[in-house]
Amino acid sequence: TVTVAVLFILFLIFSFCVFKKYFSGVKSKAKAEKNFIKKLRQIGCKSLAEKYESSRRNFNENDGKEVTIFSRDELHLSGRLFIAENGEARKSVIFFHSENNSSAIDFSAEFKMYRKMNYNILLPDQRAHGISEGKYSTMGIMESFDLVSWCRWLEMCFGTESEIVVHGISMGAFAAIAAAANSEMPQNVKYIIADSAYPLIRDFISAKAKSELSFLAKPVSGFLNIFYKNHTGFDTRDFSLYTVCKSVKIPVLFIHPEKDKLSPLANIESLVKRIPVKSELITIKKAPHATCFVKDEKLCAVEIKKFIGEA
C-alpha cells in the first residue's frame, strides 16, 4: 500500500511537471528559439532548422517600438510595433505566435514578406510568454480575447478605415479563428491566416503527449486536464472551434501540414466546411507542425498574397 501511494505521488509530480512544460509558456525568447531549433534537429529536420536560423539572423526584433495593452483580466501584455518602411501604412498585420515560442522565431520569414508589401507589423508576446504577464497559457481561449484587444488597439492607432490581417500559428491560429467568431472583433479585420490550427485543445494536448510520452500519454493526459482546469478555470474538453466557427464572419485561409501528427488534416478539412464565409485550405508536404511557411515559402507567399488581395 505504501509503495502504491509513493508511486502515485511520483506519477502525480511527473504529470504536474508535464503540465508546467506545456502550459507555463516561455519567458526567455532565446530559450524558446533554442528549444524550437533543437526539436527540429531531433526529428530529422536539419535543413528546416537552418532555414529558421538564417531567417532569425536577418530579423532584429528590437528595431520595433515596444507597445503595451491590458487584457480583459487585467494582465499587462506587451508587443513590438514596426511601422511600414514607407511611412505609416493603411494596412497592418498581427502575428500571433504558437505555444512556448515567440513571434521572432515563428514569423521571421513571414515578416520579410509583409515588410515588402508595406504593412505595419505588430508582434505581440502571448500571455505567459516573453515580457507579457500571465502565469499559464490557456492554449488559445483567453488568447482569443487578447487578440481582439490587440486588434482594437491597432484600430485606434491607424483608424477604422485601415485594414488588419491576423496571421496565427498553432495556438495563435486557434486564437485567431476563435476571435474571428467574437462579435467584438473590429470590422476592419479583413482576413485570417491560420497556419497549423487545431480545432480541440484536448485532442492537441493528447497528441502532443502521445508523441513525447509514449505509453504514459493516456494516464498523464487525464491529470493534465485536471491541472489545466484548476489553474486556468477552463476544461480542455469544453472549448471547440467546430462550434464557434459557425459564427466566423472573416475570411480564413488555412495553411496546414499534409501529415500533421498533432493536428490531423482531416480535422481541418471538416473545420473549413463549417465556416459560413469564404475559407480556403492549402496543404504543405513534409512540413512538421507549425512550420509551413518556412518549409514552402514560395507556395505559401503566393497563396497568402492572392487571398489577401496583394497578388
Side-chain angles (χ1 to χ4, degrees):
T1 304
V2 173
T3 301
V4 172
V6 170
L7 290 174
F8 177 76
I9 292 171
L10 289 174
F11 184 75
L12 201 62
I13 293 172
F14 173 74
S15 298
F16 186 71
C17 289
V18 175
F19 165 77
K20 294 275 286 184
K21 177 185 176 183
Y22 287 0
F23 296 96
S24 289
V26 179
K27 291 295 185 180
S28 168
K29 295 181 183 181
K31 181 179 179 182
E33 180 180 342
K34 182 179 178 181
N35 290 343
F36 182 71
I37 297 298
K38 181 180 178 181
K39 186 174 181 180
L40 284 177
R41 293 185 183 280
Q42 286 176 339
I43 61 175
C45 298
K46 183 180 177 181
S47 61
L48 197 57
E50 290 172 351
K51 285 184 179 180
Y52 271 101
E53 289 177 319
S54 176
S55 294
R56 184 67 182 92
R57 282 193 297 270
N58 296 324
F59 170 58
N60 185 3
E61 190 179 8
N62 294 324
D63 288 342
K65 176 185 176 183
E66 186 175 334
V67 294
T68 59
I69 63 169
F70 281 98
S71 67
R72 62 185 293 164
D73 53 345
E74 300 184 346
L75 291 179
H76 186 270
L77 303 178
S78 296
R80 299 200 79 85
L81 176 65
F82 295 76
I83 299 296
E85 289 183 321
N86 295 333
E88 187 177 298
R90 303 301 294 171
K91 294 184 178 182
S92 304
V93 61
I94 299 179
F95 290 144
F96 233 46
H97 66 76
S98 59
E99 64 286 346
N100 295 332
N101 216 330
S102 77
S103 294
I105 186 67
D106 266 347
F107 295 104
S108 55
E110 291 91 328
F111 183 92
K112 293 183 293 183
M113 179 185 75
Y114 285 99
R115 199 69 163 160
K116 288 180 181 178
M117 293 191 296
N118 201 45
Y119 274 60
N120 304 311
I121 302 174
L122 177 63
L123 281 67
D125 288 342
Q126 301 271 27
R127 57 175 57 216
H129 293 73
I131 57 175
S132 286
E133 291 181 344
K135 193 170 184 181
Y136 295 106
S137 160
T138 64
M139 293 301 293
I141 299 177
M142 287 305 295
E143 288 80 1
S144 71
F145 295 106
D146 297 341
L147 179 54
V148 172
S149 297
W150 279 115
C151 288
R152 294 177 73 88
W153 180 85
L154 266 184
E155 182 185 43
M156 287 190 294
C157 287
F158 301 110
T160 56
E161 298 302 315
S162 64
E163 294 185 3
I164 299 172
V165 174
V166 174
H167 194 143
I169 290 182
S170 194
M171 177 178 71
F174 180 102
I177 298 165
N182 190 325
S183 60
E184 296 181 6
M185 194 71 149
Q187 292 186 357
N188 60 339
V189 178
K190 300 299 183 182
Y191 303 100
I192 303 293
I193 311 297
D195 182 342
S196 302
Y198 50 83
L200 292 165
I201 297 172
R202 174 201 61 194
D203 290 354
F204 179 75
I205 292 300
S206 294
K208 191 172 184 178
K210 185 177 180 180
S211 69
E212 297 179 356
L213 304 176
S214 187
F215 67 94
L216 290 175
K218 191 170 183 178
V220 166
S221 294
F223 284 106
L224 289 180
N225 187 56
I226 293 172
F227 294 135
Y228 176 84
K229 191 171 184 178
N230 287 340
H231 288 86
T232 69
F234 298 106
D235 191 309
T236 61
R237 299 168 296 185
D238 289 344
F239 199 89
S240 167
L241 288 187
Y242 290 129
T243 301
V244 302
C245 73
K246 298 174 184 177
S247 300
V248 169
K249 297 180 176 64
I250 304 169
V252 184
L253 172 63
F254 290 89
I255 305 174
H256 209 78
E258 192 176 68
K259 296 181 179 180
D260 194 332
K261 295 180 180 179
L262 300 182
S263 178
L265 179 60
N267 294 348
I268 303 304
E269 291 173 334
S270 177
L271 191 59
V272 171
K273 293 176 183 177
R274 297 169 190 240
I275 294 178
V277 295
K278 177 184 177 182
S279 61
E280 297 178 7
L281 168 65
I282 63 169
T283 58
I284 307 301
K285 295 180 180 180
K286 299 180 180 180
H289 181 77
T291 65
C292 289
F293 193 93
V294 174
K295 181 62 179 178
D296 195 338
E297 185 171 340
K298 184 177 180 180
L299 174 61
C300 289
V302 167
E303 294 298 331
I304 290 171
K305 288 177 182 178
K306 185 167 63 175
F307 189 80
I308 65 177
E310 296 287 352

